[in-house]
Amino acid sequence: MRFVLASQSPARLGVLKAAGIEPVVRVSGVDEDAVIAGLPNASPEQVVTALAEAKARTVVGDLERVEDAVVVGCDSMLRFDGQLVGKPGTPEVAKARWLKMAGGEGTLLTGHAVLRVRHGVIADSAIAAEKTVVRFASPTVAEIDAYIATGEPLQVAGAFTLDSLGGWFVDGIDGDPSSVIGISLPLTRRLLSAIGVSVTDLWRSTK
Ligand SMILES: Nc1nc2c(ncn2[C@H]2C[C@H](O)[C@@H](COP(=O)(O)OP(=O)(O)OP(=O)(O)O)O2)c(=O)[nH]1
């Protein structure tokens, strides 16, 4: 069975490979802002699951010659201070966020869409979001500036990482760490099971 990861995220690929999966990567290139614009009254869970599903569905067409595949799409956003935010994109936005986040907590939501695809047709799907409470440390302004200067926080949801430089500034989490990094292993196992796939069978599969 082919396991297709519909994501350019090195973090998601790394989590899956460390957990015994050899995904084929197909970047979806979904216009996330356009999807969000079409969901004016959606809850945070609805936003991240809609984005995850859009990413997974986008790559299905490439699988017409594949008899049996699993396609996984994900999307991560941080809910804090009453806002749902993705990647900061600029140093100014990252700094403004960290000045608010420091010493507080937020909820990192990751939407997951797991599709069973046979010859390019979706035979089954399972979609859900995972939520992890993140308690931020209180870095000094100088530490925040140094962190932003590395560039890392600009391209990650919520302007922080758990498993890289950002880890110095996370006091703790309540929930699944893999979901914060980019893909929840326990939730993905449950979603795979819901579409008739045992994750342990995938451990033995090749690309
Ligand atoms: N290594 C690491 N990366 C993180 C962490 N938190 C968030 N990220 C990354 C994972 C994703 O690459 C990115 C979240 O953005 P998206 O969910 O939109 O995915 P991205 O645009 O990277 O790729 P995709 O849309 O799936 O092709 O932030 C973390 O704690 N550790």
Side-chain angles (χ1 to χ4, degrees), residues 2 6 18 38 49 57 65 93 104 158 176 183 192:
R2 182 170 299 184
T49 49
R57 284 180 175 273
R65 284 192 293 277
V93 171
D176 169 17
I183 180 168
L192 285 167

Side-chain angles (χ1 to χ4, degrees), residues 34-195:
V35 172
I36 293 171
L39 300 165
N41 304 310
S43 68
E45 290 84 350
Q46 288 168 332
V47 170
V48 295
T49 49
L51 285 165
E53 184 174 8
K55 294 176 187 181
R57 284 180 175 273
T58 299
V59 307
V60 165
D62 300 339
L63 301 171
E64 284 178 356
R65 284 192 293 277
V66 178
E67 183 183 349
D68 194 5
V70 162
V71 178
V72 176
C74 294
D75 189 79
S76 298
M77 297 184 82
L78 178 71
R79 181 164 173 72
F80 88 102
D81 196 28
Q83 296 179 297
L84 185 66
V85 294
K87 305 171 198 169
T90 68
E92 294 73 22
V93 171
K95 179 155 186 181
R97 285 204 198 153
W98 262 106
L99 290 175
K100 282 187 187 174
M101 285 156 48
E105 69 179 48
T107 301
L108 199 292
L109 294 100
T110 297
H112 298 66
V114 176
L115 310 180
R116 189 82 182 260
V117 181
R118 298 183 195 279
H119 292 298
V121 176
I122 298 173
D124 204 350
S125 65
I127 296 163
E130 185 63 77
K131 296 192 285 189
T132 309
V133 174
V134 180
R135 291 188 301 283
F136 297 107
S138 298
T140 64
V141 174
E143 288 171 327
I144 291 172
D145 288 340
Y147 181 42
I148 291 167
T150 69
E152 177 185 280
L154 306 192
Q155 287 309 318
V156 293
F160 78 99
T161 62
L162 192 58
D163 58 328
S164 186
L165 294 174
W168 295 97
F169 309 122
V170 175
D171 277 341
I173 65 170
D174 296 328
D176 169 17
S178 55
S179 183
V180 177
I181 297 168
I183 180 168
S184 170
L185 293 174
L187 176 57
T188 301
R189 176 181 54 78
R190 296 196 298 274
L191 296 176
L192 285 167
S193 175
I195 63 166

